[in-house]
Amino acid sequence: MQSIESTLCCPVCHGPVDRTPDGYFCAACGRLYPAVLGIPDFRVTLPEHFDQVKDLEMARALAEAEKDLDFDGLLKLCIRLTPKASDLQEKHLAHLAGEADQARTALDLMDKRRPLEPADAILEVGCGLGQYLAIAAERVNRVAGVDLCLRYLVLARKRLNGRGVVLAAEAERLPFRDGSFAGVIAA
């Protein structure tokens, strides 16, 4: 069984990447993909509206609190740090609670197409807080989630509690070799 890390490649040229003390390096095109707060960052081109400085600031605050809080506590901190989200906290938490059922339904559909085996790997694109990843980790041994937002990846990492990998990456430029996953979820 191949590790998810062994399936990583350069999202630009698809060449192999080597782990370095600072992240991942692609010798084929000379790009270095850093690790930010322990999260491999394979993002290449962020959308204009994306506030990378604010995202990193929030991700740092969450990462600092990560070892002292459980997932729910970390999520509440994230909501408090996001002024617009504070007003919608109850609705947001209710929506998250319903996503576990949605994730199970998505995996059941995937399983009908081709039965999932414990050795399979599942990728969630736009994983957000890792709701689908946590459910997928109940069925398969290898899960990976990608998202643009580092703050969400800190939360997803906490939710997975070592049962998977999270990376910063764009859906249009995934840092994985073809055929690395038995299924992909993008909800």
Side-chain angles (χ1 to χ4, degrees):
M1 175 171 60
Q2 162 177 66
S3 72
I4 288 177
E5 187 175 89
S6 70
T7 68
L8 290 173
C9 70
C10 176
V12 175
C13 76
H14 302 287
V17 293
D18 294 313
R19 189 161 177 70
T20 71
D22 300 322
Y24 291 86
F25 179 70
C26 175
C29 69
R31 293 180 193 277
L32 175 63
Y33 299 99
V36 180
L37 303 172
I39 297 169
D41 188 352
F42 286 93
R43 298 175 297 180
V44 178
T45 308
L46 292 170
E48 249 181 61
H49 68 276
F50 187 82
D51 188 340
Q52 191 172 5
V53 172
K54 186 167 189 111
D55 181 53
L56 181 57
E57 179 183 295
M58 288 184 64
R60 275 195 182 116
L62 293 170
E64 286 174 15
E66 187 176 7
K67 65 179 176 279
D68 298 326
L69 298 174
D70 63 6
F71 174 78
D72 290 334
L74 204 59
L75 176 58
K76 288 176 182 168
L77 173 60
C78 182
I79 291 170
R80 282 195 311 272
L81 294 173
T82 311
K84 291 179 183 176
S86 296
D87 298 340
L88 301 172
Q89 181 174 353
E90 273 185 47
K91 289 181 182 180
H92 192 65
L93 294 174
H95 172 74
L96 289 175
E99 282 192 329
D101 289 336
Q102 292 171 359
R104 285 185 184 88
T105 299
L107 288 164
D108 287 345
L109 290 170
M110 199 180 288
D111 200 38
K112 282 182 185 178
R113 197 163 168 213
R114 181 188 149 279
L116 293 172
E117 301 291 331
D120 286 337
I122 300 292
L123 171 66
E124 183 179 5
V125 177
C127 69
L129 310 180
Q131 306 87 287
Y132 284 66
L133 289 174
I135 299 301
E138 295 172 2
R139 296 196 190 187
V140 299
N141 297 330
R142 299 176 301 138
V143 297
V146 299
D147 204 287
L148 286 178
C149 296
L150 288 169
R151 67 182 178 266
Y152 293 155
L153 291 168
V154 171
L155 284 157
R157 175 174 66 194
K158 181 69 174 187
R159 175 170 270 186
L160 287 173
N161 195 26
R163 297 179 301 152
V165 176
V166 295
L167 304 102
E170 302 153 56
E172 301 84 3
R173 291 187 182 100
L174 294 172
F176 302 104
R177 292 194 315 263
D178 289 347
S180 297
F181 297 93
V184 178
I185 298 169

